[in-house]
Amino acid sequence: MSNPFVEIVEPLDPKQPLKKFFNLSKLGDVRYARLPFSIRILLEAAIRNCDEFLVKKGDVENILNWKVMQHKNVEVPFRPARVILQDFTGVPAVVDFAAMRDAVKKLGGDPEKINPICPADLVIDHSIQVDFNRQSDSLQKNQDLEFERNRERFEFLKWGSRAFKNLRIIPPGSGIIHQVNLEYLARVVMDQDGYYYPDSVVGTDSHTTMIDGLGVLGWGVGGIEAEAVMLGQPISMVLPEVVGYKLVGNPQPLVTSTDIVLTITKHLRQVGVVGKFVEFFGPGVAQLSIADRATIANMCPEYGATAAYFPVDDVSIGYLMQTGRDEEKVMYTKKYLEAVGMLRDFKNSSQDPDFTQVVELDLHTVVPCCSGPKRPQDKVAVSDMKKDFETCLGAKQGFKGFQIAPDRHNSIVKFNFEGCDFQLAHGSVVIAAITSCTNTSNPSVMLGAGLLAKKAVEAGLTVKPYIKTSLSPGSGVVTYYLRESGVMSYLSQLGFDVVGYGCMTCIGNSGPLPESVVEAITQGDLVAVGVLSGNRNFEGRVHPNTRANYLASPPLVIAYAIAGTVRIDFETEPLGINALGKKIFLKDIWPTRNEIQAVERQFVIPGMFKEVYQKIETVNKSWNALDAPSDKLYTWNPKSTYIKSPPFFDGLTLALQSPKTIEGAYVLLNFGDSVTTDHISPAGNIARNSPAARYLTSRGLTPREFNSYGSRRGNDAVMARGTFANIRLVNKFIDKQGPQTIHFPSGEILDVFDAAERYKQAGHPLIVLAGKEYGAGSSRDWAAKGPFLLGVKAVLAESYERIHRSNLVGMGVIPLQYLPGEDAGTLGLTGRERYTIIIPEKLKPQMKIEIKLDTGKTFQAIMRFDTDVELAYFHNGGILNYMIRKMAS
């Protein structure tokens, strides 16, 4: 059927009659001008894609009527303009596509139908690790080792770029996915197939929201859902509420964008924005650069919203010019946005749309701060850091406690490093990393760090040699302006040499600490500290030996590295004493905002962006030299320990199987609150005593060759064994941290994978019990795929992180939620019961179902299939099975 809104299509420029757009201002509907700008993008996509099949006229009306329908739990479709992936999530996506081609062929269909329809970019940024640092050739050594470890994965991805249309690969060494998206990939307005329309994106990384800072609506989705979008399926989403976040005032001179985002993160966690859009407005927004806005939007997952949107304004248009975008395209971008009422003037309050609710922040009230020691929302003012850490030392084990006995708070362990004697204590900094697109995309904080380093060196300050310092920029542009402005050499003198262009420490690729440091930490059972300019600091994520991890701005990372401890009050205690015996305080070397802005204006210029990005796809010689087959069907290598055909589609038929009641399930694990995807499916090191290590050893690999879980996501045998393998896992069945559980039929304590295998062999289904925010953290499809392969049929939790719930649905695992006011405690559940979950023949979204225990107790829970489309996926055994049947038939 033709589009029913074709009458509002017209050329944007009469001189180019073949370049058209849907002119929303000609809808003649007064409701349009009152919609939040983020909702206008959903509306435009619905109108442009309206075919009365996947997108219906009723969907358009529901979005137009957002003010009323936002409270009705109504489902709407959304077709984003493009998809973005990183390699940890991209490899399993391409593996799934290759396996889906095989499955479609087996079912008699055309395997080449499995092909991205929606344009997709895959940025390789998650593989490089900080193996070498504090050396002038650290970058080259780390990149060489990256290729040595990951050659097989990279060859597979290169095959994918040839076998699948609409899939572009950005090679390793180019930068971090979200910074590359911001500086290069984002269009703001698409010009495709003869139409102009708003750029929008979903990505297989939760921090995809960073692009919201440029006015491109984007958010993270599960890898499974992203694959469906790439194959042309719209996202089915509940029409979101939109919280208006009003920014007023001006930041104080010493405050950075990092301080602002950590303040907003804590504030919005308190407000409660899970499942909602946040849209920023108010005169304070005009005071923020695009880099500042992108930093705030980047940490959207940490405050729990779906998106954190800054509408496009003249500052956004200026950023496109600054980053070397084509001038004519920028002109048409502005012309289009003006025509459809999507260009914002933050100083003009008459443009303020309707919001579900409005909350406000005066930027002048923000103070320098960090967040930690275990969660990004736990903000601590820098002036309170010493006191807060010392309180955490003795507090009960938890998000703000380590339960160290009072008589051990001042323990000291002496050790020798490179022939010199040092000592460590609780609070000693052992990792200091300027890392992550959250901050390395922002010239103000990066140049601020460089200027602070210059003043520190000139004042005679140093960083202790055992501290693992590193600088991993999000793009080559950062190195360019740090070098041109003259601060790079000072960063190097303090140990902050460039070690790679990728996520690195932020995602746990921090590499090994010196053995003598690890021995000292272990000997004293010390709470050692990592300080990083990242966005996540969950326990066990950054490094196994740093129990406390603090998020901080790049200048503060350097300050704490110089101090060597977080047990310092910068206002009253010096950073250090120079060779002349003079005390040097932080205030003596902290650069002013005017200093930073002057350097930024001079050295961050369009030519840098053009020079770096015009050769981004060809500059990596190692990538260029890789050989890869060009066959449309992948030839699986049975000897490979990286790439393996997954078992998800084994035995799949065209006929649907009716969902069955889950009979007598055992509880595999019993969790409390805030179990993250890092706990469920860690991305970091593979412990030598783990089931995954035993498997790799049996395949002839040595521990040096294990690489990380993240790099092995193309192999289900490794990933199933790595599920729930985080060494910081807290399972209520076990009285200590670790990846173990009780196998109830035998009473034995086993590794989680081994227990699951025992249950599977005996034919017993499994469930998981959890508290609030189950699945928080990174969008990680293996956090759903892994439990599925272990035999987990359902999860029963108090609440879910949005993306993880979607991933569970995508794998056919039932997300169950306690009724309001109920939880395991109120229901008296121990997890030692056996659970029968009654699945009715006729299902509807968010229906209540009955759960019977072998104790005779019965209670109800909500089945969190939120839309009819999600129910269709469940009936098919998951979203990928649904797509295969669709393509095969």
Side-chain angles (χ1 to χ4, degrees):
M1 179 180 173
S2 64
N3 191 310
F5 294 95
V6 71
E7 72 275 3
I8 66 169
V9 173
E10 60 183 49
L12 181 63
D13 184 343
K15 296 175 185 175
Q16 294 186 323
L18 298 180
K19 294 285 189 75
K20 301 175 182 179
F21 76 112
F22 284 80
N23 191 345
L24 274 60
S25 64
K26 292 199 171 178
L27 285 170
D29 196 311
V30 295
R31 295 174 295 180
Y32 177 66
R34 302 305 309 157
L35 291 177
F37 282 65
S38 51
I39 299 298
R40 295 180 201 188
I41 294 173
L42 299 185
L43 177 67
E44 190 281 337
I47 287 174
R48 179 168 36 87
N49 292 294
C50 189
D51 59 1
E52 290 296 0
F53 176 59
L54 288 173
V55 183
K56 299 182 179 180
K57 221 173 170 182
D59 299 319
V60 172
E61 171 58 25
N62 283 338
I63 300 172
L64 255 177
N65 200 26
W66 169 83
K67 192 170 183 178
V68 173
M69 302 307 292
Q70 60 171 315
H71 305 298
K72 305 279 188 181
N73 208 40
V74 65
E75 171 191 351
V76 295
F78 176 55
R79 292 189 72 167
R82 55 194 178 91
V83 174
I84 194 164
L85 312 97
Q86 36 88 342
D87 56 302
F88 270 17
T89 51
V91 166
V94 179
V95 166
D96 287 348
F97 273 9
M100 289 168 78
R101 279 192 170 177
D102 292 344
V104 168
K105 186 180 180 183
K106 285 177 186 174
L107 292 174
D110 178 5
E112 289 199 46
K113 283 187 176 179
I114 300 294
N115 204 77
I117 296 168
C118 183
D121 294 296
L122 193 158
V123 182
I124 300 176
D125 66 352
H126 272 51
S127 299
I128 192 165
Q129 301 183 35
V130 191
D131 291 286
F132 298 94
N133 68 309
R134 287 187 179 245
Q135 301 171 26
S136 59
D137 59 351
S138 295
L139 171 63
Q140 190 59 53
K141 285 181 174 178
N142 288 328
Q143 287 182 336
D144 289 346
L145 198 49
E146 176 190 24
F147 262 83
E148 181 185 322
R149 287 174 174 143
N150 296 285
R151 175 173 294 275
E152 196 177 330
R153 296 171 65 241
F154 292 170
E155 287 173 346
F156 175 69
L157 286 176
K158 200 160 189 180
W159 165 80
S161 69
R162 293 175 177 176
F164 297 105
K165 300 170 187 173
N166 278 333
L167 176 63
R168 172 171 52 175
I169 306 285
I170 304 297
S174 303
I176 302 174
I177 176 173
H178 307 305
Q179 190 161 341
V180 174
N181 194 18
L182 183 72
E183 295 176 353
Y184 175 62
L185 298 174
R187 283 77 144 177
V188 179
V189 169
M190 302 291 288
D191 174 5
Q192 192 150 326
D193 301 327
Y195 283 89
Y196 291 107
Y197 52 94
D199 187 7
S200 58
V201 63
V202 292
T204 57
D205 189 283
S206 50
H207 295 102
T208 300
T209 53
M210 182 170 179
I211 204 62
D212 290 338
L214 184 57
V216 175
L217 184 62
W219 62 85
V221 295
I224 305 154
E225 193 173 11
E227 290 167 35
V229 173
M230 289 166 72
L231 293 172
Q233 283 290 109
I235 287 173
S236 180
M237 60 187 293
V238 174
L239 188 64
E241 295 182 0
V242 182
V243 175
Y245 199 89
K246 187 174 185 178
L247 296 175
V248 299
N250 294 309
Q252 296 183 51
L254 299 183
V255 164
T256 68
S257 58
T258 316
D259 304 320
I260 295 171
V261 71
L262 296 180
T263 301
I264 289 173
T265 298
K266 182 173 183 180
H267 185 197
L268 283 175
R269 269 287 172 192
Q270 293 168 337
V271 170
V273 292
V274 173
K276 302 175 185 179
F277 284 3
V278 174
E279 185 168 308
F280 292 85
F281 75 110
V285 177
Q287 309 299 318
L288 301 176
S289 68
I290 292 303
D292 291 338
R293 299 175 195 182
T295 297
I296 294 166
N298 178 285
M299 287 192 69
C300 174
E302 281 65 56
Y303 41 87
T306 299
Y309 189 65
F310 288 83
V312 181
D313 68 345
D314 283 338
V315 176
S316 317
I317 300 297
Y319 179 83
L320 293 177
M321 296 300 296
Q322 183 194 27
T323 49
R325 262 70 166 210
D326 181 84
E327 286 188 32
E328 186 178 6
K329 289 182 179 178
V330 174
M331 180 191 74
Y332 279 110
T333 293
K334 185 171 183 178
K335 189 179 178 75
Y336 169 81
L337 294 168
E338 287 174 332
V340 294
M342 292 190 195
L343 190 68
R344 189 76 163 90
D345 178 358
F346 289 105
K347 294 178 181 177
N348 181 0
S349 61
S350 68
Q351 282 192 3
D352 293 352
D354 294 328
F355 292 113
T356 309
Q357 70 177 111
V358 171
V359 291
E360 185 173 307
L361 175 68
D362 183 347
L363 293 172
H364 192 72
T365 64
V366 178
V367 298
C369 57
C370 300
S371 277
K374 301 181 186 181
R375 295 191 305 181
Q377 63 262 42
D378 293 330
K379 185 190 79 164
V380 186
V382 171
S383 57
D384 296 332
M385 273 285 284
K386 180 178 182 179
K387 179 182 175 184
D388 187 81
F389 179 82
E390 290 175 347
T391 300
C392 289
L393 270 184
K396 183 181 177 183
Q397 182 72 37
F399 299 126
K400 295 287 286 185
F402 298 101
Q403 210 160 333
I404 303 296
D407 62 345
R408 292 185 46 241
H409 284 199
N410 295 312
S411 298
I412 288 173
V413 179
K414 295 181 179 180
F415 70 102
N416 187 276
F417 178 75
E418 295 182 345
C420 296
D421 292 327
F422 297 97
Q423 60 185 36
L424 289 181
H426 295 296
S428 290
V429 174
V430 294
I431 290 177
I434 298 176
T435 181
S436 173
C437 52
T438 309
N439 284 290
T440 70
S441 61
N442 195 323
S444 66
V445 293
M446 295 303 289
L447 288 168
L451 290 171
L452 184 140
K454 181 176 185 289
K455 293 184 178 188
V457 170
E458 289 172 346
L461 297 176
T462 60
V463 175
K464 293 180 178 66
Y466 62 81
I467 296 176
K468 187 157 192 179
T469 47
S470 61
L471 168 58
S472 50
S475 82
V477 174
V478 180
T479 309
Y480 204 139
Y481 66 66
L482 290 176
R483 191 172 57 238
E484 291 295 307
S485 62
V487 298
M488 191 72 240
S489 62
Y490 297 100
L491 288 162
S492 296
Q493 286 179 66
L494 293 180
F496 290 91
D497 298 278
V498 173
V499 295
Y501 296 97
C503 300
M504 303 190 89
T505 300
C506 186
I507 58 160
N509 285 357
S510 49
L513 288 172
E515 283 189 22
S516 58
V517 172
V518 173
E519 287 170 4
I521 293 169
T522 306
Q523 179 188 332
D525 191 25
L526 297 176
V527 180
V529 177
V531 184
L532 65 154
S533 63
N535 48 41
R536 291 206 170 131
N537 54 343
F538 300 128
E539 201 172 7
R541 178 184 175 97
V542 174
H543 193 281
N545 296 111
T546 57
R547 284 156 71 184
N549 296 282
Y550 287 93
L551 306 182
S553 66
L556 279 175
V557 171
I558 296 176
Y560 280 112
I562 294 169
T565 180
V566 294
R567 296 172 82 171
I568 180 173
D569 182 344
F570 287 133
E571 294 179 13
T572 61
E573 298 175 64
L575 274 177
I577 300 172
N578 67 13
L580 300 176
K582 182 183 177 183
K583 294 180 179 179
I584 308 296
F585 289 83
L586 181 58
K587 63 185 177 183
D588 299 329
I589 63 170
W590 193 271
T592 67
R593 182 174 296 236
N594 288 339
E595 284 178 90
I596 296 168
Q597 289 175 343
V599 176
E600 184 175 350
R601 279 192 297 269
Q602 184 177 355
F603 293 103
V604 183
I605 56 176
M608 289 182 176
F609 293 88
K610 287 180 179 176
E611 185 174 334
V612 168
Y613 283 112
Q614 69 185 4
K615 54 189 178 183
I616 190 170
E617 293 177 50
T618 58
V619 73
N620 192 313
K621 293 178 182 177
S622 298
W623 174 263
N624 296 340
L626 283 179
D627 191 28
S630 55
D631 303 341
K632 297 301 181 183
L633 292 176
Y634 188 69
T635 303
W636 306 96
N637 178 1
K639 295 181 179 178
S640 173
T641 57
Y642 277 106
I643 307 297
K644 178 177 175 290
S645 182
F648 306 136
F649 315 123
D650 292 354
L652 182 67
T653 62
L654 286 173
L656 290 182
Q657 304 282 322
S658 298
K660 296 177 181 176
T661 289
I662 300 168
E663 299 274 2
Y666 283 96
V667 176
L668 179 63
L669 294 145
N670 188 1
F671 293 129
D673 296 340
S674 296
V675 169
T676 71
T677 52
D678 280 298
H679 290 118
I680 303 168
S681 184
N685 294 334
I686 297 173
R688 296 187 181 193
N689 60 347
S690 65
R694 293 196 291 274
Y695 168 80
L696 291 170
T697 301
S698 74
R699 300 296 300 267
L701 273 66
T702 64
R704 184 178 176 275
E705 299 169 303
F706 286 173
N707 211 335
S708 64
Y709 282 114
S711 68
R712 298 260 175 203
R713 287 181 185 163
N715 186 321
D716 62 271
V718 175
M719 297 310 296
R721 288 165 173 80
T723 302
F724 301 114
N726 191 308
I727 61 169
R728 301 294 180 196
L729 196 74
V730 178
N731 174 14
K732 292 181 181 179
F733 294 149
I734 307 293
D735 58 6
K736 62 179 181 179
Q737 288 185 338
Q740 293 188 311
T741 194
I742 297 175
H743 176 252
F744 286 109
S746 67
E748 291 181 70
I749 295 177
L750 302 172
D751 287 332
V752 174
F753 173 79
D754 296 334
E757 282 294 286
R758 289 255 197 109
Y759 284 123
K760 190 184 293 185
Q761 288 163 9
H764 297 310
L766 298 170
I767 67 168
V768 169
L769 298 184
K772 300 180 183 71
E773 297 177 350
Y774 181 72
S778 302
S779 64
R780 197 162 288 176
D781 58 343
W782 268 106
K785 289 177 175 176
F788 170 83
L789 291 178
L790 295 187
V792 173
K793 303 298 183 185
V795 177
L796 176 57
E798 291 178 58
S799 65
Y800 293 88
E801 194 278 335
R802 176 185 61 83
I803 298 174
H804 185 63
R805 186 199 65 81
S806 171
N807 273 337
L808 290 173
V809 172
M811 286 308 299
V813 177
I814 304 172
L816 298 171
Q817 189 163 312
Y818 293 104
L819 298 184
E822 293 186 353
D823 56 34
T826 63
L827 293 169
L829 307 180
T830 66
R832 295 170 183 267
E833 311 89 351
R834 295 185 69 177
Y835 292 66
T836 294
I837 300 167
I838 311 297
I839 310 295
E841 278 189 32
K842 291 186 177 181
L843 300 175
K844 58 184 180 181
Q846 295 198 344
M847 72 181 296
K848 294 176 183 175
I849 53 106
E850 198 171 73
I851 300 175
K852 295 181 178 179
L853 308 183
D854 61 347
T855 61
K857 184 180 181 67
T858 300
F859 65 97
Q860 287 188 318
I862 301 166
M863 187 179 274
R864 283 294 310 278
F865 297 123
D866 290 355
T867 66
D868 288 322
V869 171
E870 289 186 345
L871 281 174
Y873 296 157
F874 175 62
H875 283 294
N876 277 271
I879 193 171
L880 301 184
N881 293 0
Y882 171 87
M883 292 304 302
I884 288 171
R885 289 190 175 104
K886 183 179 176 182
M887 296 297 180
S889 60

